[in-house]
Amino acid sequence: MRQALHRLAVETRGQGLVEITALVKDWLAHLDIEDGLLTLYCRHTSASLLIQENADPDVCRDLESFFARIAPEGRGLYVHQSEGPDDMPAHIRAALTQTQLSVPIQAGQLLLGTWQGLYLFEHRRAPHQREIVLYVIGE
């Protein structure tokens, strides 16, 4: 059984989905692991991870619009406002999604569905550098 750990830095341009599938696959390709399990972990409280359709960009736009409606920004809406009006909505959006994903690996490939991609979901308006921890175990 082999294990590997990697910290993936992802630059965001502000709110929105950033596909990280290719970055993860590139890292995985350098490992000699045929079958196993990959865990992705987002080390932030105002960003999250998703497995989502990557064929039609309208899916991402609709998801972003939906989360803006269910956790809106606005002064006076939340008690926690010390980091700006987009911070508490970002925490709510992250709480409603995931900070950790697991994806099986077979024959050295991620077992994602045909239209599935891995995404970092940035919930803050300003650009950030986010860190995703990748951990794989397998043989």
Side-chain angles (χ1 to χ4, degrees):
M1 195 66 61
R2 287 186 300 282
Q3 304 176 57
L5 180 89
H6 178 65
R7 293 173 182 232
L8 179 66
V10 179
E11 300 287 335
T12 72
R13 289 175 276 156
Q15 287 177 341
L17 289 146
V18 178
E19 188 169 5
I20 60 171
T21 312
L23 297 171
V24 173
K25 285 181 175 181
D26 287 347
W27 175 73
L28 190 59
H30 292 93
L31 305 176
D32 187 27
I33 295 185
E34 286 296 308
D35 299 312
L37 185 66
L38 171 67
T39 300
L40 300 88
Y41 176 71
C42 179
R43 299 189 66 220
H44 306 279
T45 59
S46 55
S48 56
L49 297 170
L50 293 177
I51 294 177
Q52 196 47 253
E53 179 178 328
N54 63 359
D56 184 351
D58 285 343
V59 172
C60 291
R61 283 191 283 276
D62 287 341
L63 282 168
E64 292 164 8
S65 295
F66 174 77
F67 276 92
R69 286 192 308 275
I70 64 170
E73 294 180 21
R75 298 216 180 268
L77 292 176
Y78 310 101
V79 174
H80 175 72
Q81 296 184 43
S82 59
E83 296 177 58
D86 69 329
D87 188 48
M88 192 59 219
H91 291 304
I92 293 169
R93 294 168 191 172
L96 294 172
T97 52
Q98 305 165 82
T99 56
Q100 179 178 305
L101 300 171
S102 294
V103 181
I105 300 165
Q106 185 177 46
Q109 301 296 311
L110 294 173
L111 286 181
L112 292 170
T114 302
W115 309 114
Q116 289 182 321
L118 303 168
Y119 288 89
L120 171 69
F121 198 172
E122 175 62 65
H123 301 299
R124 298 293 305 266
R125 276 191 266 125
H128 283 81
Q129 180 171 322
R130 299 301 193 170
E131 185 178 270
I132 308 302
V133 177
L134 307 177
Y135 174 77
V136 67
I137 186 165
E139 44 191 354

